[in-house]
Amino acid sequence: MTRKGPERDIDESELVVTHSKDHAAGVPAVLVSLQRGLEQMGAVRTARTLARLNQRHGFDCPGCAWPETPGHRKPAEFCENGAKAVAEEATLRRVGPEFFAEHSVAELAEKTDYWLGQQGRLAHPMVLREGATHYAPIEWDEAYRLIADHLRALPGPDGAVFYTSGRTSNEAAFLYQLMIRSFGTNNLPDCSNMCHESSGSALTESIGIGKGSVTVPDLEYADLILIAGQNPGTNHPRMLSTLEKAKGNGAKIIAVNPLPEAGLRRFKDPQKVGGVIGRGVDIADEFLQIRLGGDMALFQGLGRLLLEADDADPGSVVDRAFVEQHCAGFAEYEKNVRAVDLDVVLEATGLTMTQLRETADAMARSERTIACWAMGLTQQTHGVATIQEITNLLLMRGMMGKPGAGVCPVRGHSNVQGDRTMGIWEKMPDSFLDALDREFSIVSPRKHGWDTVAAIRGMRDGKGSVFMAMGGNFIRATPDTEATEAALRSCALTVQVSTKLNRSHVATGRTALILPTLGRTDKDIQASGKQMVSVEDSMSMVHLSRGNLTPVSDQLRSEVAMVCELAEHLLGADHSVPWAQFKGDYDRIRDSISRVVPGCENYNERVRRPDGFQLPHPPRDRREFPTSTGKANFTASPLQWLPTPPGRLILQTLRSHDQYNTTIYGLDDRYRGVKGGRKVIFVSAADLAELGIADGAAVDIVSEWTGADGVLQERRVRDFRAVQYSTPKGNAAAYYPETNPLIPLDHVAAKSNTPVSKAVLVRLEPAGAH
Ligand SMILES: Nc1nc2c(c(=O)[nH]1)N[C@H]1C(S)=C(S)[C@@H](COP(=O)(O)OP(=O)(O)OC[C@H]3O[C@@H](n4cnc5c(=O)[nH]c(N)nc54)[C@H](O)[C@@H]3O)O[C@H]1N2
Ligand SMILES: Nc1nc2c(c(=O)[nH]1)N[C@H]1C(S)=C(S)[C@@H](COP(=O)(O)OP(=O)(O)OC[C@H]3O[C@@H](n4cnc5c(=O)[nH]c(N)nc54)[C@H](O)[C@@H]3O)O[C@H]1N2
Ligand SMILES: [Mo]
């Protein structure tokens, strides 16, 4: 049975589908960013805010993790979607006690995600007491006592779950994990578990560090850039300027994607006169319209073709010196990919032999290759192996640890990489925990904790009953919405530290707290004066961020202050960590970070340099590979891909141009031609014809999953509109989070345990028939 979901009440009567755009940015992008700012915060605050976005003395964009251009910064170092992210946070609309007195939780639970987010900034701590119908205001101290009492009442520290979303600053993240480990658990799931965990798992095994090995100047210097499973025009728009520059320097760009995304086709830089009036720059020279989950086959097929090219002219393709000196496992790799059946590769990818050969030729000729990827590769059952295959190709060609070459997993949340560096991980290495223990005279637990999927299972099974989230929207971001909601509702207490209202505030434990926090754009004043925080971008650059806006309410606390105050209530005023000092002066936190976190020595001084500093990366810096073998490891994995069973489709769930994860900015996916609604499913013309579904027809989407017990499970979302779209036959696409109820909790990637959001087996049924 499928419960009546919140998506039922979106008014989609205005939904219009037109043709999709063949270019990104341009004049509409400038207009939309200004318009959203003016609506949310008025002219003066818009001008003040956008002028400081991503500037050296300003704040880091709360949008994506793409780096700022080092050295000279443009007067407007942001994009349309960054401006939307800022407008969303800097809004003057407020959600205070009056709002919660007026709306019951049951009533709020019926609202859409879009409506909830549009109500404004949370302005007062609120409590939902057991059995109550409405949230009521609560004083901060009482809220802390309530949390501490619940935590102390648990049978053990592992009964608590502490989630983190990737906006949290380094300082807050460092203290949060310190409080949690002082309390005694490693149950630290984070959004990264659902995001780039597959990249981390793959790269750690292959090259010894889970982070990307290139910088912006490398991209500008590369002669070949592969962009697989990523939609930069929407999700990392500032990357397009870098790609444009790379092209200007002669780089060839190959996009690998099931969808012809606008940003991959053409880009009109809104900050250049040419971009405003001209036809823009073609970004991708080649577009490989691959079938969902076909990338592993593509990379193995390319491996075989590259080896064969080397056979024809030994030493011309394989960088023997690099492989011999720096790598392990090449012989097994070679054996594995030489045996790959190219007919299977063509079937798995949906590509032609010519496309395959041309791509192999481009890779064989290139002297400086970079591979970029995002969720299209990570959120697949075989995501880890797929990323290792692309790494294999780079290693074979010696494309690591030299200018203009390397791996580039493009991160999502603006500080998701920094949070990991600071210890937000359920399985931090012992070396980090040892340093933490030495610095603070604590004994942190060594047993690994729960990741996101394990945490949901733990709560579902009654083993976890206090849930706290440092940001994010756990209920909507996670798969299997119904199962996750039930898991959270079974908790004794759920606590959300948030800036904006979302669904995680209305599907709660028996008691629930909302703790409103300062955001990136807000001024943060503590005992020693105005504070700054630091963040790390997708390319390991660490730098400061300073908010300058007056907070919408004097009840907001910074995440740092909140953690310190909660820690004092939980761990006692005589605890060995100087919580009060940390709260009063964030420089003191950075002093401790210097001593605990590898690569952060002298943090206070280096983070104050004009562009901050770059964290060490042994493969990039010295061609050193801190892996199990001490070398870069080639991998040899059996080929996996996704055939579509008859009458079914493989569904990917992705972002529209008008949302930030679960935050819906608006209902216009301008680039894909969808306006006024979100409940659409993109299907190829061939599939629509074969399934007998008319373009525009209303359908239910039903996912099919056979559990470990062999029983077929079905999950359903209702009343979507089928939209004919350019996607490979057998594949479909629809927006997240409306389709999260379809994703089974157990449908996870091997090794990384990441929910498989990009490959869900579904069938379509006429709406209303069931
Ligand atoms: N404006 C805005 N910016 C954002 C976000 C946002 O929601 N809004 N979210 C942030 C976050 S947390 C993240 S992680 C990033 C996400 O950035 P992306 O990874 O770009 O996000 P998705 O929308 O999930 O898009 C996935 C892309 O991969 C393609 N794809 C799907 N499956 C496959 C496959 O099997 N193979 C290949 N080759 N391609 C595939 C899809 O067609 C799509 O183009 O963006 C960050 N930036
Ligand atoms: N089906 C499907 N599911 C997915 C994905 C997908 O592609 N498909 N993508 C996955 C990915 S890549 C990710 S990263 C996750 C995202 O998962 P999350 O990070 O949990 O989700 P967000 O929507 O980014 O969180 C938004 C909320 O964060 C709060 N917030 C914003 N700024 C701040 C701040 O500065 N401090 C605090 N404390 N709170 C703040 C606001 O209250 C806002 O409502 O979703 C995952 N889920
Ligand atoms: Mo993400």
Side-chain angles (χ1 to χ4, degrees):
M1 226 217 46
T2 310
R3 224 175 30 83
K4 176 173 168 288
E7 44 282 341
R8 294 276 292 181
D9 58 20
I10 292 190
D11 175 12
E12 301 233 346
S13 53
E14 305 285 303
L15 189 144
V16 185
V17 180
T18 55
H19 58 88
S20 62
K21 298 279 179 293
D22 69 350
H23 67 267
V27 173
V30 181
L31 294 181
V32 172
S33 41
L34 287 177
Q35 179 203 332
R36 294 288 166 83
L38 294 172
E39 280 166 19
Q40 298 272 359
M41 52 182 167
V44 177
R45 203 159 150 111
T46 301
R48 280 194 66 187
T49 315
L50 294 183
R52 294 177 65 103
L53 179 48
N54 285 337
Q55 297 301 316
R56 278 184 179 160
H57 297 287
F59 58 90
D60 183 63
C61 181
C64 74
W66 191 256
E68 286 71 54
T69 323
H72 175 71
R73 302 223 178 150
K74 290 188 275 187
E77 184 75 35
F78 62 89
C79 68
E80 170 192 353
N81 279 346
K84 287 186 201 165
V86 167
E88 190 76 19
E89 179 176 301
T91 181
L92 286 167
R93 300 178 194 158
R94 297 163 36 117
V95 174
E98 333 69 52
F99 174 91
F100 289 104
E102 193 180 324
H103 303 281
S104 71
V105 175
E107 184 194 333
L108 293 174
E110 289 302 309
K111 302 290 188 189
T112 63
D113 297 305
Y114 179 43
W115 188 93
L116 291 172
Q118 286 300 304
Q119 301 314 302
R121 281 291 290 272
L122 293 160
H124 199 283
M126 304 296 299
V127 64
L128 181 68
R129 301 210 187 261
E130 196 162 347
T133 55
H134 289 68
Y135 273 99
I138 183 171
E139 292 311 313
W140 278 100
D141 275 347
E142 198 200 334
Y144 296 136
R145 266 198 303 278
L146 199 140
I147 303 171
D149 288 348
H150 271 87
L151 287 171
R152 280 195 292 256
L154 288 168
D158 289 336
V161 173
F162 296 92
Y163 177 69
T164 313
S165 166
R167 283 223 183 148
T168 298
S169 67
N170 282 351
E171 290 74 5
F174 182 75
L175 293 188
Y176 185 53
Q177 62 86 33
L178 176 60
M179 174 189 79
I180 296 162
R181 295 195 161 107
S182 299
F183 172 64
T185 183
N186 279 315
N187 283 346
L188 280 146
D190 69 349
C191 66
S192 201
N193 297 143
M194 299 179 268
C195 185
H196 266 293
E197 196 69 61
S198 299
S199 307
S201 305
L203 293 176
T204 303
E205 219 173 87
S206 292
I207 63 168
I209 174 165
K211 299 180 180 182
S213 73
V214 301
T215 59
V216 169
D218 284 321
L219 275 155
E220 293 172 357
Y221 183 59
D223 64 18
L224 176 65
I225 302 172
L226 278 137
I227 304 174
Q230 193 204 343
N231 179 19
T234 286
N235 297 315
H236 305 92
R238 284 178 301 115
M239 180 177 175
L240 298 186
S241 310
T242 305
L243 294 176
E244 187 189 6
K245 216 157 162 192
K247 290 211 63 145
N249 295 342
K252 180 183 172 86
I253 296 179
I254 302 181
V256 186
N257 202 301
L259 305 179
E261 305 285 29
L264 297 172
R265 289 191 285 171
R266 253 194 294 138
F267 171 53
K268 295 185 175 187
D269 189 339
Q271 300 182 356
K272 283 191 190 155
V273 177
V276 173
I277 54 177
R279 73 178 285 282
V281 189
D282 289 313
I283 291 287
D285 300 271
E286 302 293 338
F287 168 51
L288 305 183
Q289 189 162 24
I290 197 164
R291 295 190 63 245
L292 285 170
D295 306 81
M296 184 175 183
L298 170 66
F299 302 145
Q300 287 199 347
L302 291 172
R304 173 170 166 177
L305 294 179
L306 287 173
L307 287 169
E308 287 173 0
D310 194 71
D311 295 342
D313 181 5
S316 64
V317 178
V318 178
D319 184 339
R320 296 277 165 197
F322 178 82
V323 169
E324 271 155 36
Q325 196 183 339
H326 297 291
C327 304
F330 183 67
E332 294 85 339
Y333 168 71
E334 191 172 358
K335 188 162 163 240
N336 193 45
V337 295
R338 277 190 193 275
V340 166
D341 182 342
L342 291 177
D343 287 333
V344 173
V345 171
L346 298 186
E347 197 187 340
T349 57
L351 302 174
T352 63
M353 200 58 214
T354 313
Q355 286 175 310
L356 222 59
R357 289 210 183 280
E358 284 176 359
T359 309
D361 282 349
M363 290 195 82
R365 277 195 309 271
S366 156
E367 283 164 19
R368 298 177 300 278
T369 311
I370 289 177
C372 305
W373 70 85
M375 297 305 102
L377 298 201
T378 63
Q379 297 172 339
Q380 294 286 358
T381 325
H382 48 293
V384 173
T386 302
I387 293 161
Q388 290 181 323
E389 289 299 346
I390 196 159
T391 309
N392 290 336
L393 293 178
L394 295 172
L395 292 175
M396 183 205 303
R397 299 272 301 113
M399 297 293 172
M400 189 76 68
K402 68 175 195 181
V407 285
C408 183
V410 183
R411 303 276 158 185
H413 264 301
S414 52
N415 198 40
V416 62
Q417 190 161 316
D419 291 348
R420 273 289 164 93
T421 306
M422 293 297 132
I424 303 292
W425 198 24
E426 72 281 359
K427 42 186 183 195
M428 278 312 273
D430 284 355
S431 54
F432 179 93
L433 301 177
D434 292 343
L436 196 68
D437 290 0
R438 269 197 307 276
E439 172 76 8
F440 296 109
S441 311
I442 59 167
V443 182
S444 40
R446 294 298 189 274
K447 192 182 107 197
H448 289 173
W450 286 332
D451 64 10
T452 293
V453 167
I456 297 168
R457 291 188 184 130
M459 292 185 279
R460 175 196 65 192
D461 299 341
K463 290 187 237 151
S465 62
V466 175
F467 174 88
M468 174 166 180
M470 186 55 74
N473 183 0
F474 192 80
I475 279 195
R476 279 310 250 174
T478 47
D480 222 340
T481 311
E482 204 174 336
T484 308
E485 277 204 27
L488 281 156
R489 286 187 192 282
S490 74
C491 286
L493 174 71
T494 52
V495 183
Q496 303 286 341
V497 178
S498 312
T499 52
K500 302 288 292 276
L501 194 62
N502 65 45
R503 188 148 308 278
S504 298
H505 303 117
V506 297
T508 66
R510 290 190 292 284
T511 302
L513 283 167
I514 299 176
L515 304 180
T517 183
L518 297 176
R520 215 43 90 62
T521 52
D522 295 316
K523 209 181 285 171
D524 181 359
I525 313 275
Q526 304 294 344
S528 73
K530 195 174 165 200
Q531 305 297 318
M532 313 173 284
V533 293
S534 55
V535 291
E536 175 185 342
D537 67 29
S538 197
M539 294 177 178
S540 306
M541 289 297 301
V542 181
H543 60 88
L544 287 173
S545 173
R546 307 167 174 87
N548 70 326
L549 296 180
T550 307
V552 294
S553 147
D554 59 9
Q555 280 290 324
L556 306 191
R557 303 256 160 121
S558 76
E559 292 178 346
V560 166
M562 219 183 286
V563 170
C564 293
E565 290 163 3
L566 173 58
E568 286 181 322
H569 280 81
L570 179 64
L571 306 165
D574 55 352
H575 188 246
S576 58
V577 177
W579 298 107
Q581 274 184 37
F582 282 162
K583 181 178 100 173
D585 182 356
Y586 298 0
D587 274 352
R588 299 287 74 76
I589 311 171
R590 286 183 282 266
D591 286 341
S592 280
I593 290 175
S594 295
R595 290 186 289 266
V596 173
V597 184
C600 290
E601 301 76 18
N602 211 3
Y603 197 71
N604 264 311
E605 185 266 310
R606 287 196 295 159
V607 88
R608 284 179 162 82
R609 292 178 190 167
D611 287 314
F613 69 98
Q614 189 167 38
L615 286 168
H617 188 289
R620 179 198 66 207
D621 302 336
R622 297 184 302 279
R623 289 193 155 181
E624 273 175 26
F625 300 91
T627 62
S628 51
T629 58
K631 299 202 162 193
N633 290 319
F634 278 94
T635 56
S637 318
L639 176 57
Q640 282 176 271
W641 60 286
L642 304 170
T644 311
R648 305 293 186 273
L649 296 169
I650 310 265
L651 173 74
Q652 64 153 320
T653 62
L654 79 180
R655 293 152 174 82
S656 85
H657 190 64
D658 219 2
Q659 73 183 82
Y660 193 92
N661 297 337
T662 71
T663 298
I664 311 303
Y665 296 144
L667 303 178
D668 296 343
D669 193 355
R670 200 168 73 243
Y671 294 163
R672 298 198 186 99
V674 175
K675 218 174 152 48
R678 293 178 45 86
K679 291 179 63 182
V680 293
I681 176 165
F682 300 107
V683 184
S684 72
D687 280 316
L688 285 179
E690 208 173 288
L691 298 170
I693 294 170
D695 184 14
V699 293
D700 285 359
I701 314 174
V702 185
S703 70
E704 299 176 357
W705 173 257
T706 307
D709 53 5
V711 177
L712 176 71
Q713 304 168 11
E714 293 195 348
R715 294 169 174 79
R716 178 182 297 264
V717 293
R718 294 171 191 278
D719 295 329
F720 277 61
R721 186 175 318 185
V723 172
Q724 182 179 315
Y725 201 82
S726 173
T727 182
K729 184 167 181 310
N731 291 170
Y735 300 132
Y736 132 77
E738 286 80 355
T739 45
N740 286 42
L742 294 173
I743 307 172
L745 185 61
D746 293 336
H747 191 23
V748 290
K751 289 190 182 169
S752 64
N753 216 25
T754 294
V756 178
S757 305
K758 296 291 189 272
V760 186
L761 179 65
V762 301
R763 63 171 197 270
L764 302 183
E765 289 185 357
H770 182 91

